[in-house]
Amino acid sequence: MTMLDVLEKPKVTTTDDGDHDRFAHYFKKTDIDAAWLEGKTVTALCGKKDKPTRPVEGRNVCPTCKERLNDLPG
C-alpha cells in the first residue's frame, strides 16, 4: 500500500447503526404530544430517541417498530 491508495469504508445499511433517520417511527401518542408541545425527546418502539418534528409521509416505516407494534396485545 502506498500513500496514494484510498481505502473505502463499506456501506452498512441496518437500522442499528444510525440508519434510523431514513424511516418513520412509531411513538406513543402521549409522547408525540409531548414532543410537539414541549420539545421533549421521546423513544420510539424500536428504541430510537428522537424529537419528531416533520411529517412522515413518503418514508418507509421502521421494520423494528412495525414488528414490535404487531407484537403488542390488542
Side-chain angles (χ1 to χ4, degrees), residues 2 32 70:
T2 67
I32 292 174
N70 291 334

Side-chain angles (χ1 to χ4, degrees), residues 4-5 32 38 41 51 63:
L4 298 177
D5 290 337
I32 292 174
E38 302 167 23
T41 299
K51 291 181 184 178

Side-chain angles (χ1 to χ4, degrees), residues 28-60:
K28 292 180 184 177
K29 181 170 180 3
T30 54
D31 289 347
I32 292 174
D33 292 343
W36 280 88
L37 297 173
E38 302 167 23
K40 290 185 176 182
T41 299
V42 294
T43 304
L45 293 180
C46 66
K48 177 185 179 1
K49 296 193 184 301
D50 195 11
K51 291 181 184 178
T53 58
R54 57 186 176 166
V56 296
E57 288 82 20
R59 291 192 288 163
N60 294 327

